[in-house]
Amino acid sequence: MKKWFLMSMILILITGIIGCSKGEKDGKVTLNALFMKQAGYSEEDVNNITKEFEKNNPNIKIKATFAPYEALEQKIQTSAKSGGYDVVVIDAPWTAKFAKAGFVKDVTDKLKSDDKSDIFTGAIDSVSYDGKVYGMPWLNDTKFLFYNKEILEKAGIQNPPTNFDELNEQAKVIQEKKLVPYPIVWSWSQAEALVCDFTAITSSFGGKMTDESGKPTLNDPKNVAALKYMTETLNEKLTDPKSTEYLEEDVRGVFSSGKAAFALNWTYMYNMANDEKESSVAGKVGIAPIPMSVNGGMGLSVTSGSKHVDEAWKYIQYLSSKDVQKNYAKNALPIWKSLYEEQKVIDTNPEVVAASKTQYAQLENRPRVPWYGALSTEIQVEVQKSLLGKQTPEETMDILQKKAEEISSK
């Protein structure tokens, strides 16, 4: 009896294994995908695109999960190797860390050269590390200079600034005419927002925080000059002093209330600042590129633990395809250079598209090193000390250089 029972159980087990193998072989698989809540493409957008994909690929089912940004990194780290998720959205600063830790697949050979040449360089760099590609760029985002058209007109200024020297010159004119107490507002609170602004400003001054090999270059004179610029705008009261307490939503609030002529912020602010329900400056908002800005884009990667790599990559290709990105350009502008000539994309928001076409070709990524998380924390702390007048820019950058060397050597 026991023998018969044992043989029956073995037979059931074998049948189950064969059934599973057959299902996977036939492509009848379920992919688990992890996305970010409220970033570029809405949940409705992602779900609609996914339904289109499933219709075209009936043997593949997608189970999409949406998590807040703060939870994403930890979710990926704890599940990547076990295959909890097949497809994950990754922020640009995580690529190096995830690649070195073996959390995501090397897809260098899967990305066609023709496709790569049509994608903005900064976007490709955001999913690259040590000469290899670990994902597909997906969400495009960066910081732009927003300006109040009415204030500039009252100040007799015809065109917005094209660099930070011009920004200061125009801010001084606006200040002298007493149109607003503090012409410029930034997100310089001790947070990642500060590192994003710092990256945009240092790169606009020609500086870099690491070289191509990942070696720290924090005390580069150009980085020092950038920090001096930041502190001087505070000392000259061109910058709202509360900027050292502000995050991006605070910046949006100040600008939308008409209390600032200029603000550096992510693309989302354009529509919200032009919304009469959200803003008192609706219809008066302009958007302009700066010499270099920070890459705030995100990519899609296949986890190392995925059992369905080909299907996962197929799904990623569909999500980031030209047709899909053209059709959903209203909420997230494409990664593809060629689509910026498409009237359908231009019509979504001509002013934003024009600024984006220029800015996306002029992006700098935050340092692409595995130890970025620790470096970011140090930058937030030390740069704030300079902004608050507790140490000079030279002292700050020398301290950061030593700390970065210590972190990178561990």
Side-chain angles (χ1 to χ4, degrees), residues 180-225:
V180 288
Y182 306 106
I184 316 171
V185 62
W186 315 80
S187 48
W188 288 353
S189 177
Q190 189 176 306
E192 187 65 20
L194 171 58
V195 184
C196 290
D197 277 16
F198 189 61
T199 301
I201 297 170
T202 54
S203 58
S204 290
F205 274 71
K208 288 185 178 293
M209 289 184 259
T210 59
D211 62 19
E212 291 300 319
S213 66
K215 181 180 177 181
T217 57
L218 274 299
N219 59 356
D220 183 312
K222 293 175 182 176
N223 293 333
V224 175

Side-chain angles (χ1 to χ4, degrees), residues 360-374:
Y360 287 146
Q362 299 168 183
L363 292 186
E364 182 65 46
N365 281 287
R366 282 159 282 177
R368 292 182 290 145
V369 290
W371 37 274
Y372 173 76

